[in-house]
Amino acid sequence: MPHQLPRRVLALLPLLLLAACAQAPAENLPTATAPAAVQTATETTLPSFADWRQAMRSEAIAAGIDAALFDRVFAGVTPDPAVLKADSSQPEFTRPVWEYLDGAVSSSRIGRGRVLLAQHNAMLQRIEQQYGVEAQILVAIWGLESNFGNNIGSHSVIRSLATLAYDGRRQGFWRAQLLAALQILQNGDVPSERMVGSWAGAMGQTQFMPTTYNQHAVDFDGDGKRDLWNSQADALASAAHYLQASGWQRGQPWGFEVNLPSGFDYALADPDQRRTLAEWAELGVRPLAPTGAAASSRASLQLPAGHQGPAFLLLDNFRSILKYNNSTSYALAIGLLADNLLRSTEIKGQWPRGERQLGRSERVELQELLAQAGFDPGPADGIIGANTRKAIRALQLQLNWPADGYPNTQLLQQLQQLRTR
Ligand code: CA
């Protein structure tokens, strides 16, 4: 689910991620919708919901929303405790990337996607002509966002967003989403009783957040409404329009698996280390198969499970997918699913399936111990971002371990021993 901030809150991704969207892996699995960073709740006392609604009503009217429409859609609306619970949950365990990919790129999803790709070929070709985004990428997004339109969520979007704008973290973000949802209703794209979505307000077959919807949803079937719930043409074309706006380059791969030479410097496997494919080739990084990408294309090297797992070079289009949902696992799943819709493609590298993932509290402990040991991992929030990866690499170099920046149990144990010395 695309939206501008962190994204939606998906399922729970592995540690790599950044944000989260409505249905993807979560925590870091961000979604095009969900708020990513954890914001501490303010300690100020909440107004009553009635008082909040009155203030929101004034704000909406000032933003051009019709007062009668506001009163109608807010009639009987109360905060939804289930939404608040979902917003505040910080799961201790997230699925390892390989388990997420097993589910996201399953043989049944590939099979269903191939059927739909063929069935909607004419429409998808027209969308590709107009927006420059390949059909298989759009079908992959459709498959992951809503299981091809079968799972669009059943929460009232107005109630969810009102709850989050009233009492959630990042209230300003949610207020903007609520205003955008009201604008969509005022446009007449959908009647309010049919405006349903994820608990975080991601809507329709492509799970757009309201602000993304307002900016990027299109009426592709020409009935005068932008209907991402019921119109496959509108939903797929809107996803294409959003990817186009996110810099998608037609004909470029999103990325591909590579082999690394022995003795490779794993410090180069970092999103900040962008090089041309020609430069990566000079370093001995080899695609497993011909890629069709220009040698001047820039890419970063990613080891989603550390040096013991598969390696991928990720090009600019991967970054466009991240704008849809800011989760590395999600974007990888989209790319791999899209590839498999065209032809079966196995990952050749072996995932370290026997390796236990650190839980959230262990990641927090890891960060605290890194700080105590004189490294600078950033705040101890359990999220393995750029600063924490850098700190892990510095420790790994000191230990003479492969410096892949990947947190694991051995590293945590090593730090625990250092402390007790
Ligand atoms: Ca339409």
Side-chain angles (χ1 to χ4, degrees):
M1 54 188 187
H3 60 132
Q4 357 268 63
L5 284 186
R7 276 108 182 289
R8 17 181 236 179
V9 180
L10 303 187
L12 312 181
L13 285 187
L15 322 171
L16 324 168
L17 333 180
L18 319 175
C21 229
Q23 286 144 302
E27 179 169 18
N28 299 327
L29 276 193
T31 260
T33 32
V38 175
Q39 252 185 350
T40 40
T42 49
E43 297 295 324
T44 51
T45 316
L46 276 183
S48 72
F49 186 70
D51 286 349
W52 172 85
R53 188 176 71 176
Q54 197 54 38
M56 189 71 224
R57 185 178 187 274
S58 302
E59 186 175 341
I61 291 168
I65 300 298
D66 183 62
L69 177 129
F70 185 96
D71 292 341
R72 184 166 54 77
V73 305
F74 265 84
V77 169
T78 55
D80 184 346
V83 167
L84 283 180
K85 190 171 174 207
D87 183 47
S88 61
S89 77
Q90 294 191 331
E92 174 63 21
F93 294 103
T94 51
R95 274 184 291 172
V97 60
W98 51 89
E99 278 181 23
Y100 171 69
L101 292 175
D102 287 347
V105 194
S106 64
S107 55
S108 64
R109 203 187 307 266
I110 292 168
R112 181 77 184 130
R114 285 176 176 174
V115 168
L116 292 166
L117 189 62
Q119 191 178 322
H120 296 289
N121 179 56
M123 173 179 77
L124 288 161
Q125 292 310 316
R126 280 188 288 122
I127 293 172
E128 181 171 340
Q129 286 301 321
Q130 182 155 347
Y131 298 105
V133 181
E134 289 85 346
Q136 70 273 14
I137 289 288
L138 301 175
V139 172
I141 287 175
W142 192 21
L144 283 198
E145 292 295 334
S146 66
N147 199 19
F148 308 111
N150 290 313
N151 181 14
I152 59 173
S154 57
H155 291 268
S156 156
V157 168
I158 293 295
R159 187 184 186 197
S160 289
L161 296 176
T163 301
L164 293 161
Y166 168 59
D167 195 13
R169 300 175 282 168
R170 301 194 326 140
Q171 292 172 0
F173 169 76
W174 296 117
R175 207 158 54 237
Q177 297 299 333
L178 178 56
L179 283 174
L182 291 167
Q183 278 153 6
I184 292 163
L185 291 175
Q186 185 152 298
N187 291 343
D189 288 323
V190 64
S192 60
E193 65 276 10
R194 289 208 352 250
M195 187 185 250
V196 294
S198 74
W199 68 264
M203 305 185 297
Q205 303 194 27
T206 47
Q207 295 286 282
F208 272 29
M209 290 301 287
T211 52
T212 303
Y213 196 113
N214 263 346
Q215 273 186 286
H216 299 291
V218 296
D219 170 26
F220 198 73
D221 63 14
D223 71 348
K225 297 178 196 303
R226 304 179 299 170
D227 185 351
L228 303 197
W229 292 267
N230 301 297
S231 168
Q232 293 163 336
D234 287 5
L236 293 166
S238 296
H241 187 219
Y242 185 66
L243 280 179
Q244 180 190 47
S246 302
W248 187 265
Q249 298 165 58
R250 186 183 192 180
Q252 282 289 313
W254 57 270
F256 38 80
E257 190 180 358
V258 293
N259 277 327
L260 303 180
S262 59
F264 185 75
D265 176 7
Y266 292 108
L268 300 177
D270 190 277
D272 294 339
Q273 296 282 334
R274 290 172 57 74
R275 291 178 162 65
T276 64
L277 295 183
E279 290 167 330
W280 286 117
E282 277 174 33
L283 290 164
V285 176
R286 303 276 180 239
L288 303 193
T291 66
S296 58
S297 302
R298 295 179 72 79
S300 60
L301 181 67
Q302 179 102 27
L303 308 174
H307 74 282
Q308 299 186 72
F312 298 88
L313 278 181
L314 305 175
L315 284 72
D316 287 341
N317 279 348
F318 191 86
R319 303 183 353 147
S320 298
I321 302 171
L322 287 176
K323 288 181 186 160
Y324 202 97
N325 185 343
N326 193 14
S327 149
T328 300
S329 296
Y330 172 86
L332 202 52
I334 292 292
L336 293 169
L337 178 56
D339 287 354
N340 275 282
L341 292 179
L342 295 187
R343 71 192 71 80
S344 295
T345 311
E346 298 272 319
I347 295 175
K348 300 294 191 305
Q350 297 296 307
W351 296 109
R353 290 180 181 269
E355 181 156 311
R356 189 175 74 74
Q357 302 286 293
L358 296 183
R360 185 177 175 280
S361 48
E362 288 175 315
R363 300 196 298 271
V364 169
E365 182 185 1
L366 178 78
Q367 290 170 321
E368 290 168 349
L369 291 174
L370 281 167
Q372 287 171 25
F375 300 98
D376 181 16
D381 54 10
I383 296 170
I384 308 297
N387 290 331
T388 305
R389 280 199 312 272
K390 202 171 291 179
I392 292 172
R393 282 209 170 90
L395 171 62
Q396 288 170 325
L397 285 172
Q398 213 174 74
L399 296 167
N400 218 11
W401 291 6
D404 60 8
Y406 187 76
N408 60 15
T409 51
Q410 292 96 310
L411 196 78
L412 179 60
Q413 286 162 4
Q414 186 72 26
L415 279 165
Q416 288 164 338
Q417 286 165 14
L418 284 176
R419 182 183 48 181
T420 57
R421 262 178 219 162

